[in-house]
Amino acid sequence: MDDLLQLGKQALASQPFSVLVGTELTGYSPGWAELTIPITPQLKQQHGFVHGGVISYAADNALTFVGGSVLGPAVVTSEYKINYLKPAVGTVLIARATVVYSSKTQAICRCDVFMVDEGKERLCAVAQGTIARIGRPDEAQT
Amino acid sequence: MDDLLQLGKQALASQPFSVLVGTELTGYSPGWAELTIPITPQLKQQHGFVHGGVISYAADNALTFVGGSVLGPAVVTSEYKINYLKPAVGTVLIARATVVYSSKTQAICRCDVFMVDEGKERLCAVAQGTIARIGRPDEAQT
Amino acid sequence: MDDLLQLGKQALASQPFSVLVGTELTGYSPGWAELTIPITPQLKQQHGFVHGGVISYAADNALTFVGGSVLGPAVVTSEYKINYLKPAVGTVLIARATVVYSSKTQAICRCDVFMVDEGKERLCAVAQGTIARIGRPDEAQT
Amino acid sequence: MDDLLQLGKQALASQPFSVLVGTELTGYSPGWAELTIPITPQLKQQHGFVHGGVISYAADNALTFVGGSVLGPAVVTSEYKINYLKPAVGTVLIARATVVYSSKTQAICRCDVFMVDEGKERLCAVAQGTIARIGRPDEAQT
């Protein structure tokens, strides 16, 4: 396992909320991040679908990680927007993020969130946002 | 307790993910919704702040509830954007949402997320999005 | 006329595109900006309504100006989102922006865009975005 | 020239604001739209760059057109967000939009805006938004 992926897994494991959700970092290289979340009953809403908040969390966190892949580990999500495309069902949620543009201080990134249902991936949400490099951890948000 | 608040509390209690997070509906009337989340260790990220994904979840869910207050219970968040203003610390997170505009089929809403620290409220995130009325629960997203 | 409004009017007058559109700065104080655009035939789309691009321009520019009211004149709009509420008709478009939060380097702002029809104001779009202070004019975007 | 491109060119020519800006439809097929805008002095702001409002207009209009390529001509942009990456200079602005997802009533689309400077394309803004099919033209916004 390469160094960046190893560091990323450690960062994710140190986020209590990500541990609570059950998120795994399944891909990480400069300009690319993939988070995978097994869909468990506790991640759902009242109609049996994955709660939108889980999908937002996945997109937000994938955006932060991919921004960190080019800006270094001290980053936060400054802002993002998300469009939900369809209700998420299935066994696994996968958030894949890429860097569209980066300067020394920030990266503009996009994320696609897929649900895996009966072995088939389907896009269920798309996001776009800004990741900022911060000077000190106490400026961190995510 | 009025009927709308009572119905809203039941809806929230039927969302396993909201139960996991520990969210409470503390205000609910037509065009107005308030969610309160006690900040527990499991909601944090690696620097001790509330995870951005929790703040997004709070905003998303408050937007959905406030949309439902004018459109009826069968609603989903179609899309939203959020700006994080500062790291969230303290004891409680409060998301307050209002309806800016609504038609028969959708509502445009805004949400302010506050952290309560040492008894003082401070704004930590702002959001804006679209809530859509749906025909059937299986079109629901959040 | 106070100094800030005077400076703002000069800045607006030095934007050829704002002159082309016919925009006026009708209110400007720290944390507050108001742009007014007389609705002329050339600002419309094929159904007789104000073109969405004009409404976006109005929101974007009002956000930049209000950000500049607290950050100083060297600012750009980094990003924003806009929701269109209804087709804009009438005689005048008014964009009013406020600062939600500001640090030394950026401001998070909101904007409401109104159409004035038969002397009555109606909200037609809402926006939210980030204004950034820049070091040099050649980093400017708007 | 194929029928869709021909229809699109007619629609664009019937938008007075697009004529004012000087926009051309240079590519149009199902799920794909490209708008090209020659950069003239009147499209600039006070520092000599293309005004952000022009870039927003280009993204907004490209999103509307690409949505219309799959939903039919009676469409409006409901909402979108845009991130500006760098100041736009050069001779031509190109906005390219694609459809990420569409249902019978709406399409979620993305747009990349490029500046062409000394014959070289560079990305200067990215956008994402919702295009809605409308029943009657008088519900149209853009």
Side-chain angles (χ1 to χ4, degrees):
Chain A
M1 189 160 59
D2 63 65
D3 286 354
L4 188 60
L5 181 58
Q6 183 64 29
L7 285 170
K9 282 177 178 286
Q10 289 170 4
L12 192 66
S14 68
Q15 295 184 343
F17 187 63
S18 292
V19 173
L20 181 70
V21 171
T23 313
E24 300 161 36
L25 183 68
T26 45
Y28 202 35
S29 55
W32 163 257
E34 182 188 83
L35 294 175
T36 299
I37 301 176
I39 298 176
T40 56
Q42 70 182 4
L43 301 185
K44 297 186 177 177
Q45 36 82 294
Q46 65 269 43
H47 304 297
F49 303 109
V50 178
H51 196 289
V54 177
I55 297 169
S56 282
Y57 151 80
D60 182 348
N61 223 16
L63 289 170
T64 311
F65 270 85
V66 83
S69 78
V70 295
L71 296 172
V75 291
V76 294
T77 297
S78 296
E79 60 82 29
Y80 72 101
K81 86 98 77 193
I82 186 166
N83 287 78
Y84 298 115
L85 309 181
K86 54 178 66 175
V89 292
T91 55
V92 169
L93 210 62
I94 301 177
R96 296 190 178 113
T98 55
V99 174
V100 172
Y101 172 82
S102 65
S103 67
K104 285 183 184 174
T105 57
Q106 66 175 30
I108 311 303
C109 307
R110 279 173 169 159
C111 180
D112 292 337
V113 185
F114 299 85
M115 52 179 154
V116 184
D117 194 16
E118 299 180 353
K120 190 181 168 188
E121 287 189 7
R122 284 192 297 166
L123 190 62
C124 63
V126 290
Q128 177 179 310
T130 306
I131 310 306
R133 194 162 62 84
I134 52 170
R136 306 173 317 242
D138 63 349
E139 296 177 60
Q141 276 145 338
T142 296
Chain B
M1 189 161 55
D2 63 65
D3 287 355
L4 187 61
L5 181 58
Q6 183 64 27
L7 285 169
K9 283 176 177 286
Q10 288 170 4
L12 192 67
S14 67
Q15 295 184 345
F17 187 63
S18 291
V19 173
L20 181 71
V21 171
T23 313
E24 301 161 34
L25 183 68
T26 45
Y28 202 34
S29 56
W32 163 256
E34 183 188 84
L35 294 176
T36 299
I37 302 176
I39 298 176
T40 56
Q42 68 181 5
L43 301 184
K44 297 186 177 179
Q45 35 84 294
Q46 64 269 42
H47 303 297
F49 305 109
V50 179
H51 196 289
V54 176
I55 296 168
S56 282
Y57 151 81
D60 182 348
N61 223 17
L63 289 170
T64 310
F65 270 85
V66 84
S69 77
V70 295
L71 296 172
V75 290
V76 295
T77 298
S78 296
E79 61 81 30
Y80 74 100
K81 87 98 78 196
I82 187 165
N83 287 78
Y84 297 116
L85 308 181
K86 55 178 67 174
V89 293
T91 55
V92 170
L93 211 62
I94 301 176
R96 297 190 178 114
T98 55
V99 174
V100 172
Y101 173 81
S102 66
S103 68
K104 286 182 184 175
T105 56
Q106 67 175 29
I108 312 303
C109 307
R110 278 173 169 159
C111 181
D112 292 337
V113 184
F114 299 84
M115 52 179 156
V116 184
D117 194 17
E118 299 180 354
K120 189 180 170 188
E121 287 189 8
R122 284 191 298 166
L123 189 63
C124 63
V126 290
Q128 178 179 311
T130 308
I131 310 306
R133 195 163 61 84
I134 52 170
R136 308 174 316 243
D138 64 349
E139 297 178 60
Q141 277 146 335
T142 295
Chain C
M1 190 160 55
D2 64 63
D3 287 354
L4 187 59
L5 181 57
Q6 184 64 26
L7 285 171
K9 282 177 177 286
Q10 289 170 3
L12 193 66
S14 66
Q15 296 184 343
F17 187 63
S18 293
V19 173
L20 180 70
V21 171
T23 314
E24 301 160 35
L25 183 68
T26 45
Y28 202 35
S29 56
W32 162 257
E34 183 188 82
L35 294 175
T36 298
I37 301 175
I39 298 177
T40 56
Q42 67 182 6
L43 301 185
K44 297 187 176 178
Q45 36 83 294
Q46 65 269 43
H47 304 297
F49 304 109
V50 178
H51 196 290
V54 177
I55 298 169
S56 282
Y57 152 80
D60 182 347
N61 223 17
L63 289 169
T64 311
F65 269 86
V66 83
S69 77
V70 295
L71 296 173
V75 291
V76 293
T77 297
S78 296
E79 59 82 30
Y80 74 101
K81 88 98 77 194
I82 187 166
N83 287 79
Y84 297 115
L85 309 180
K86 55 178 65 176
V89 293
T91 54
V92 169
L93 209 62
I94 301 176
R96 296 190 179 113
T98 54
V99 174
V100 172
Y101 173 81
S102 65
S103 67
K104 286 183 185 174
T105 57
Q106 65 175 30
I108 312 303
C109 307
R110 278 172 169 159
C111 180
D112 292 338
V113 185
F114 299 84
M115 51 180 154
V116 184
D117 194 15
E118 298 180 354
K120 190 181 170 188
E121 287 190 7
R122 284 191 297 165
L123 190 62
C124 63
V126 289
Q128 178 180 309
T130 308
I131 310 306
R133 194 162 61 84
I134 52 169
R136 307 176 315 242
D138 63 348
E139 296 178 61
Q141 276 145 336
T142 294
Chain D
M1 188 161 58
D2 64 62
D3 286 355
L4 188 60
L5 181 58
Q6 183 64 29
L7 285 170
K9 282 176 178 286
Q10 288 170 4
L12 192 67
S14 66
Q15 296 184 345
F17 187 63
S18 292
V19 173
L20 181 70
V21 171
T23 313
E24 302 161 33
L25 183 68
T26 45
Y28 202 33
S29 56
W32 164 256
E34 182 188 85
L35 294 175
T36 298
I37 301 175
I39 299 176
T40 56
Q42 69 182 4
L43 301 185
K44 297 186 176 178
Q45 35 83 293
Q46 65 271 42
H47 304 298
F49 305 109
V50 179
H51 196 288
V54 177
I55 297 170
S56 282
Y57 151 80
D60 183 346
N61 224 16
L63 289 169
T64 311
F65 270 85
V66 82
S69 77
V70 296
L71 297 172
V75 291
V76 294
T77 297
S78 297
E79 59 82 29
Y80 74 99
K81 87 97 80 194
I82 187 165
N83 287 81
Y84 297 115
L85 309 181
K86 56 177 65 174
V89 293
T91 55
V92 170
L93 211 61
I94 301 176
R96 297 191 177 112
T98 55
V99 174
V100 172
Y101 172 82
S102 66
S103 68
K104 285 182 184 175
T105 57
Q106 65 175 32
I108 311 303
C109 308
R110 278 172 171 160
C111 181
D112 292 338
V113 185
F114 299 85
M115 52 179 155
V116 184
D117 194 16
E118 299 181 352
K120 190 181 169 188
E121 287 189 6
R122 284 191 298 165
L123 190 63
C124 63
V126 290
Q128 177 178 311
T130 307
I131 310 307
R133 195 162 62 82
I134 52 169
R136 307 175 316 244
D138 63 348
E139 298 177 60
Q141 277 146 335
T142 294

